[in-house]
Amino acid sequence: MIQFKGVVKKYKQQDVIRGITFDVHENEIAVLIGPSGCGKTTVLKMINRLLEPTSGSICIRGEDIKTKNVYRLRRNIGYVIQSVGLFPHLTIRQNIEIVSSLGGAKKKAERKKILQKNAELLEMVGLHPEVFLDRYPAQLSGGQQQRVGVARAFARDPEIILMDEPFSALDPITREQLQDELLRLQSKLRKTVVFVTHDMDEAIKLADRICILYQGEILQYDAPEKILKNPVDGFTAKFVGKHRIWTTPELIRAEDIMLINPVSTHKNCSLLRCLETMRFRSVDSILIVDDENKLEGAVYSEDVEDAPDYHKPAAQILHRNIYAAKAQDSILDVLRQMKQRNVSSAPVIEEDGKLAGIITKSSLVTALSKRYVDQ
Ligand SMILES: Nc1ncnc2c1ncn2[C@@H]1O[C@H](COP(=O)(O)OP(=O)(O)OP(=O)(O)O)[C@@H](O)[C@H]1O
Ligand SMILES: [Mg+2]
């Protein structure tokens, strides 16, 4: 949707943006993050042509924006800045109307529709239109003004929304509420959003992809989870916080915690062999897989001990309906399932059903000790 190709921005002789190439997909929230002065605002302003690149190109839907009419371009791009930028002498209603296409709407029905949509937008960001539409910006709190700013960015129904640290001046609670509202709006209205912040928690919460900028260069551009797990270099790791993944357990997958090489065998293995293997490996169950290593079920030592004939195959006492976690399941879901089903371990399978590993109490302890002791 938005494509930067070798974009350079210089002020006098200073390179502020040093040849960046990246793209933002349609309907995704891309978050630009980086220390103060790294060029985030500059990148944003080049998208709506408040600034022009020194070289390189920026395309929207494959069209170089240089060739487009600036006003038409901006009409398709909502812009929210930290200081909100509401006109102080206009009411909230007027502030929103001025950016919505009301002026162009000649027919009464069309105008009515726009007005109704504006009221809905206010409602969606948690402001009652009856209460707020006729107030002036100065009569609103910072958080309320910022909500109007967000509603206004969506008002013209643009394809793209640029947000430059829109929530950074707000207290943490208001800030979280607005993040939630943005996500709610986004799930309904599906825009292509480029969001600037220097708060990693905000980036993780909002982003489909996070772009880490440092001194005018992109260090890494990837899904939050990937960045947390595999920060590409020292700076990113430091910026991300070394153990950040542990404070965001939703992003920890079963495969990150599981032990590989779980004890397994085929269903035609004799019960005696199963029992020996379990004793040798000090486990109380053995997973049964087919010839392609797909999980079929489990055999438990207590069942084997009760079996009348140890020479019969494992298939005889195979439990087929056991809980298996998918490799990509969040560890929180897995732990919930394990608790609900009162099991102390869970096999982990790939999408195709092949056995990948096992989560046990000991794998959790190992993971925790790596976090708190080993490092
Ligand atoms: N008009 C200008 N003339 C000269 N240098 C500028 C100009 N505007 C910005 N810069 C420089 O370009 C660099 C990038 O600025 P930019 O505003 O994009 O940073 P930023 O990442 O948004 O920072 P912040 O997090 O503080 O908002 C900075 O070093 C800044 O000093
Ligand atoms: Mg900035």
Side-chain angles (χ1 to χ4, degrees), residues 167 175 179 195-197 199-207:
F167 309 145
R175 185 172 184 157
Q179 291 164 351
F195 188 105
V196 165
T197 181
D199 178 49
M200 198 62 189
D201 291 313
E202 185 163 79
I204 292 167
K205 179 164 172 186
L206 297 177

Side-chain angles (χ1 to χ4, degrees), residues 70-126:
V70 168
Y71 300 102
R72 204 163 305 148
L73 175 79
R74 288 191 194 145
R75 215 171 298 149
N76 194 28
I77 302 181
Y79 189 35
V80 189
I81 51 176
Q82 183 180 347
S83 58
V84 194
L86 297 178
F87 298 110
H89 57 288
L90 299 181
T91 64
I92 301 309
R93 182 197 303 279
Q94 291 164 331
N95 259 289
I96 298 179
E97 283 175 5
I98 205 166
V99 301
S100 49
S101 14
L102 200 64
K106 299 278 181 291
K107 293 200 194 92
K108 214 172 162 191
E110 220 175 309
R111 294 173 64 86
K112 205 173 148 199
K113 219 167 111 192
I114 292 172
L115 291 175
Q116 193 185 339
K117 216 192 89 208
N118 289 346
E120 270 169 30
L121 274 171
L122 268 192
E123 196 87 60
M124 277 161 92
V125 294

